[in-house]
Amino acid sequence: AIYDLPFFRRAQKAAVRTLLGGWQLGTIITEQTGFASAMGGSGDTTGTGVGSRLSVVPGQSVSVSDPNRNMWFNTAAFTVPSAYTFGNVGRNILRGPAMVNFDFSVFRCFPLPFREGMALEFRAEAYNVLNTTHFGNPVANLSNVNFGQITSASGSRQILL
C-alpha cells in the first residue's frame, strides 16, 4: 500500500513545502503458511529400484504440542518400512514454519526546475523491517542426524537508500 502524507503540501513557505511536503510511505506485508515438506530417507524397500516412503508407527502422533527448531515434529512417529513393502506416509504431510514479513519504504520526488518533466527521487527502503527470523523447513530425511530439526534460517533486515 502507498500512502501520500498530507503534511506540508500547502505550507506557506516554499522551502518548507519543497523539503517537507510530498512524501509517500509504502508497506508490503507478507503472511504465508509453512511450505509442504515430503518425508524421505528409506531407500528402496520394495525391490523395485525406486525409493519408498516412510511408514508411520501405529499409535504415534506426528505432531508435537510445542514445535520448535530442535523438534518440529515427532521423529519417533516414523520408521523405515519392512522389506518388500511400501511405506504408508502420505505425500507432503509436514508443513514448515509460517512466515510473516513487513517491508517499509519512504520516498519523495523532487522536480528539477531546470529540466521540465524530470525529477530526482529520494527513496529509503527497509526489507524485513522488524528483523524477524524466517526459519526453513525441518530436515525430513530419516537417515539424517538432524531429522526433525530446523537447521536453516533467513530474513535479516536490509536497509537501502
Side-chain angles (χ1 to χ4, degrees):
I2 296 177
Y3 178 71
D4 290 326
L5 294 176
F7 314 111
F8 305 110
R9 279 193 181 267
R10 293 181 173 78
Q12 294 194 359
K13 295 186 179 182
V16 172
R17 190 172 52 246
T18 301
L19 293 175
L20 301 178
W23 288 90
Q24 296 177 309
L25 300 179
T27 59
I28 298 174
I29 300 171
T30 306
E31 295 181 88
Q32 296 177 337
T33 60
F35 290 108
S37 183
M39 304 297 289
S42 63
D44 177 18
T45 60
T46 61
T48 60
V50 180
S52 179
R53 295 183 180 182
L54 298 177
S55 287
V56 176
V57 175
Q60 288 283 338
S61 172
V62 174
S63 60
V64 292
S65 60
D66 183 27
N68 58 55
R69 291 181 330 176
N70 296 320
M71 183 181 253
W72 190 255
F73 57 85
N74 180 9
T75 57
F78 301 98
T79 187
V80 174
S82 301
Y84 305 107
T85 62
F86 291 97
N88 62 4
V89 168
R91 180 177 176 265
N92 294 332
I93 65 166
L94 294 177
R95 288 266 168 199
M99 183 199 72
V100 177
N101 189 58
F102 293 92
D103 298 335
F104 178 77
S105 63
V106 60
F107 48 96
R108 183 179 189 304
C109 285
F110 294 93
L112 297 175
F114 52 87
R115 293 288 295 193
E116 187 175 326
M118 294 187 79
L120 178 67
E121 182 180 57
F122 172 81
R123 184 178 208 88
E125 298 174 329
Y127 301 105
N128 191 11
V129 72
L130 301 179
N131 205 23
T132 306
T133 303
H134 304 138
F135 292 106
N137 273 355
V139 176
N141 187 327
L142 182 67
S143 60
N144 190 309
V145 295
N146 295 318
F147 183 60
Q149 298 178 7
I150 295 176
T151 59
S152 64
S154 65
S156 61
R157 181 185 309 136
Q158 296 178 13
I159 298 175
L160 306 173
L161 293 178

